[in-house]
Amino acid sequence: GNSVTQMEGPVTLSEEAFLTINCTYTATGYPSLFWYVQYPGEGLQLLLKATKADDKGSNKGFEATYRKETTSFHLEKGSVQVSDSAVYFCALTPNSGGYQKVTFGTGTKLQVIP
Amino acid sequence: GAGVSQSPSNKVTEKGKDVELRCDPISGHTALYWYRQSLGQGLEFLIYFQGNSAPDKSGLPSDRFSAERTGGSVSTLTIQRTQQEDSAVYLCASSTLAGAHNEQFFGPGTRLTVL
């Protein structure tokens, strides 16, 4: 079956530090890959996505590149802010017709301190 | 436009009681999902509805849990004879099958506390 593995948190960084949250996946074929973010007290929202190999998703200064050869979709940001403190979830959905069940990672909590 | 809404936002109940949680998906979204998020944990898939197809119930943790989706829109998740371990935030999401790369839109969740 499909699976997503994320680095365990929490990750604590100082403001303006560089962020990497690792994500690797197992899936048949060519899934679409996503990063969702959950700010404190809120529901999840899509941060970025990539739908084919070598695609780069980007939003709000965050980036992730779909690496088929390493089955990875690591999230990066060059300079984090306190407002980036949240839980980040890596996810995939199979591109297999009408069935669109999403598989989520366990989430990585990021805490940015001033 | 309106997003996914869930009600109630908070529910406190006594052990052994039944509870119903409601989800109103985005209009026109054919897929609807329920997840459970326990304190400090990731997302646990519960059930998935897609149009008129039979739902994928493979994530329901026990037969005390059931869900229905009426008219392809509103969904209700029912937990019978609640237990303390059922305490969690229950999240609903909806999506549309536009291409094969659908984004899930999440509601704010219902925080369930079983005393």
Side-chain angles (χ1 to χ4, degrees):
Chain A
N2 299 329
S3 68
V4 175
T5 303
Q6 290 182 237
M7 62 187 291
E8 289 197 19
V11 174
T12 302
L13 295 174
S14 297
E15 207 165 19
E16 300 183 2
F18 184 86
L19 168 71
T20 299
I21 300 178
N22 290 338
C23 171
T24 57
Y25 67 90
T26 301
T28 55
Y30 297 86
S32 292
L33 303 174
F34 305 82
W35 278 101
Y36 284 83
V37 58
Q38 185 178 33
Y39 297 103
E42 299 183 14
L44 277 76
Q45 55 186 276
L46 181 69
L47 179 61
L48 54 84
K49 69 179 182 183
T51 59
K52 60 182 188 294
D54 300 324
D55 266 4
K56 178 184 285 186
S58 61
N59 186 25
K60 299 182 180 180
F62 291 88
E63 292 183 341
T65 301
Y66 188 143
R67 301 288 188 198
K68 181 68 175 175
E69 63 277 14
T70 55
T71 61
S72 65
F73 193 55
H74 304 323
L75 182 68
E76 297 181 336
K77 185 174 185 182
S79 176
V80 293
Q81 305 300 313
V82 172
S83 57
D84 294 326
S85 298
V87 181
Y88 293 82
F89 292 89
C90 186
L92 71 81
T93 184
N95 291 327
S96 55
Y99 190 73
Q100 296 297 330
K101 178 180 169 181
V102 180
T103 300
F104 283 90
T106 54
T108 302
K109 183 175 182 178
L110 170 66
Q111 183 177 15
V112 180
I113 54 178
Chain B
V4 177
S5 61
Q6 292 185 246
S7 60
S9 55
N10 280 284
K11 176 71 176 178
V12 180
T13 190
E14 294 180 347
K15 178 181 174 180
K17 300 283 189 181
D18 297 352
V19 296
E20 285 190 352
L21 312 180
R22 178 187 168 104
C23 172
D24 278 274
I26 292 173
S27 177
H29 280 193
T30 56
L32 187 148
Y33 311 75
W34 282 99
Y35 298 90
R36 178 167 71 175
Q37 187 174 29
S38 302
L39 185 62
Q41 302 296 312
L43 289 173
E44 177 186 5
F45 166 78
L46 297 178
I47 188 169
Y48 161 58
F49 295 90
Q50 175 55 60
N52 295 322
S53 302
D56 178 350
K57 303 179 182 180
S58 60
L60 294 178
S62 77
D63 59 8
R64 295 187 295 106
F65 288 72
S66 62
E68 62 178 22
R69 189 178 184 193
T70 54
S73 181
V74 172
S75 177
T76 302
L77 176 69
T78 301
I79 309 173
Q80 296 178 309
R81 305 181 303 281
T82 52
Q83 304 294 311
Q84 289 183 332
E85 61 262 29
D86 299 334
S87 296
V89 176
Y90 289 82
L91 294 169
C92 175
S94 70
S95 67
T96 182
L97 286 181
H101 315 304
N102 57 301
E103 170 188 353
Q104 293 204 326
F105 293 83
F106 282 82
T110 294
R111 181 175 297 278
L112 175 65
T113 303
V114 182
L115 301 177

